[in-house]
Amino acid sequence: FLASGTLHAQGPRPGYVLQFSDDFTSNVVDTTRWNYRTDAKINSAQIPANVTVADGKLIIMPREQDFAGLKFTGGGIISKASFRYGYYQVNAQTVGDPGWHSSFWAMAGDGSTTYPMNARTEIDDFEIDGIAPEKVSMGYLIWKDKKNLGATRCDNAFKPGYSTAASMHAYGFEWTEEDITYYLDGKKICSQPYPATEGTHDLVHIWLTAMASKTPVQVSGHSPLSFAHLRYYIRDYYIGAKEPGYIEYGKDWSDGSVGGYSGLGTRQSCNADPIAVWAPTILEAGNYDVQLWDMYSAGSNPAAMATVTHKGGQISKAITPRQGGAGWLDLGTFAFDKGASGSLSLRSENGG
């Protein structure tokens, strides 16, 4: 038997390393790591005053309160750091009052709106309504230019056999290039395909939020949304253009006209000797396979050189121009130390 106060996150499958966590041990939200949710949507405005930290928990208290033209207020926090593939997990006890919507989800954004222009992927690890806390909805949505292009549920009404508002439980999901798998208390609930060709797998932020989304709305004053032991684990290091770990040298860099991996943006330079560098901050020393997304682009320079800097030194390889399509180019497996000493660089030998 695990009491709600001592329930801890279940670890992911082997190969993952902890990159981001919060055990909410201080008495305030760490605003160097989190933004507050501050939008007004459907039946509530989300305000920082409703979010507190106590006894190792993040607590979001729903309130009946006139604010921004609405009669109720909710709240939440959004990570300032962004992530992609990996294992996400948090312990949660949801709101049990009708009308309220508890959620643990991932999408690009800073909390000021749930319709950011740059958002492409939304993953809902759980969406639970207070009117039916015995049902859990999980799945993903595809966005573009503030528009929802489609939602796919892995399970829209999973019944765990208990009320999620009665005690803490561990919720998690694993996101890979090909699919998303959802877990509850360490047990797999369901898995759904979400290949990189279906939607843009962009960087996402972690959202822990409560809002009033349905009517009637009730506020008991003793059923908050509580979170504890937030975790994000990483296994593979993906770095796209303009993302953390990507560096450009040389002049006249501009956005490319051809989409890259999963439709992400690309960069180009027609100046002499431009260099692009991908330098991940590796959290655990070991052997890693290094791959470069290679794609056909008319007019691209045929004399590109890729250099892998690893624990044992450097190795360079000429990149043969692709005649069509796109795909991962395997450069080999190398040993890397912990930290940012390893990298992959790509340079033009003849300019352009």
Side-chain angles (χ1 to χ4, degrees):
F1 175 79
L2 287 175
S4 62
T6 58
L7 179 66
H8 288 274
Q10 306 294 312
R13 294 189 291 114
Y16 283 92
V17 180
L18 181 65
Q19 186 182 65
F20 181 85
S21 66
D22 199 334
D23 288 318
F24 305 112
T25 55
S26 66
N27 59 356
V28 295
V29 172
D30 185 350
T31 54
T32 66
R33 309 178 75 203
W34 298 96
N35 291 316
Y36 287 103
R37 181 171 179 176
T38 56
D39 65 332
K41 184 178 180 181
I42 308 180
N43 295 319
S44 67
Q46 284 52 255
I47 62 175
N50 289 351
V51 184
T52 58
V53 176
D55 301 323
K57 296 177 182 178
L58 177 83
I59 301 169
I60 304 171
M61 181 60 75
R63 300 185 190 279
E64 185 173 359
Q65 174 186 9
D66 290 332
F67 196 95
L70 299 170
K71 295 186 179 298
F72 301 92
T73 58
I77 60 173
I78 299 87
S79 67
K80 291 188 176 183
S82 57
F83 316 95
R84 189 174 280 113
Y85 304 130
Y87 186 82
Y88 301 70
Q89 187 167 290
V90 75
N91 292 353
Q93 181 174 349
T94 66
V95 179
D97 293 340
W100 292 93
H101 183 79
S102 303
S103 54
F104 165 43
W105 51 301
M107 185 178 77
D110 63 4
S112 61
T113 177
T114 57
Y115 303 101
M117 180 64 74
N118 63 326
R120 296 294 179 265
T121 288
E122 175 185 336
I123 301 174
D124 304 322
D125 185 60
F126 73 70
E127 291 187 303
I128 301 174
D129 290 326
I131 192 68
E134 72 283 356
K135 295 181 181 180
V136 183
S137 177
M138 56 201 81
Y140 71 87
L141 292 80
I142 298 175
W143 293 86
K144 185 176 182 180
D145 299 334
K146 299 184 180 182
K147 296 180 180 179
N148 177 5
L149 303 184
T152 304
R153 296 286 95 178
C154 189
D155 195 321
N156 195 45
F158 173 74
K159 295 182 179 181
Y162 50 77
S163 169
T164 61
S167 60
M168 282 277 189
H169 292 275
Y171 300 83
F173 68 92
E174 181 186 23
W175 181 21
T176 72
E177 275 192 8
E178 299 296 333
D179 53 37
I180 308 168
T181 303
Y182 303 85
Y183 297 85
L184 179 53
D185 290 334
K187 297 180 180 180
K188 177 181 175 180
I189 303 303
C190 63
S191 183
Q192 61 183 155
Y194 181 40
T197 54
E198 181 176 340
T200 299
H201 291 188
D202 58 334
L203 290 173
V204 297
H205 300 262
I206 297 171
W207 297 60
L208 308 174
T209 62
M211 62 172 288
S213 63
K214 295 183 178 180
T215 54
V217 182
Q218 297 180 19
V219 178
S220 66
H222 55 74
S223 185
L225 172 58
S226 300
F227 290 102
H229 305 303
L230 184 283
R231 301 284 187 270
Y232 167 74
Y233 299 85
I234 191 171
R235 181 179 59 189
D236 304 312
Y237 299 87
Y238 286 75
I239 301 176
K242 294 185 176 181
E243 294 181 359
Y246 173 76
I247 310 164
E248 295 174 348
Y249 297 94
K251 299 178 180 180
D252 301 330
W253 284 93
S254 62
D255 292 339
S257 58
V258 179
Y261 168 72
S262 192
L264 295 167
T266 57
R267 297 283 287 168
Q268 63 184 16
S269 173
C270 294
N271 200 274
D273 300 323
I275 303 175
V277 178
W278 294 264
T281 299
I282 294 175
L283 301 177
E284 187 172 82
N287 295 324
Y288 292 86
D289 190 40
V290 180
Q291 298 185 18
L292 176 69
W293 184 255
D294 186 24
M295 60 190 179
Y296 171 76
S297 178
S300 62
N301 195 309
M305 183 69 69
T307 299
V308 178
T309 301
H310 53 92
K311 183 177 181 179
Q314 289 187 333
I315 185 170
S316 296
K317 180 179 179 179
I319 305 300
T320 302
R322 181 179 284 269
Q323 298 305 308
W328 288 111
L329 177 63
D330 196 334
L331 300 176
T333 300
F334 307 91
F336 290 90
D337 286 324
K338 181 179 179 180
S341 60
S343 66
L344 166 64
S345 64
L346 186 68
R347 67 182 303 154
S348 171
E349 292 294 278
N350 298 325

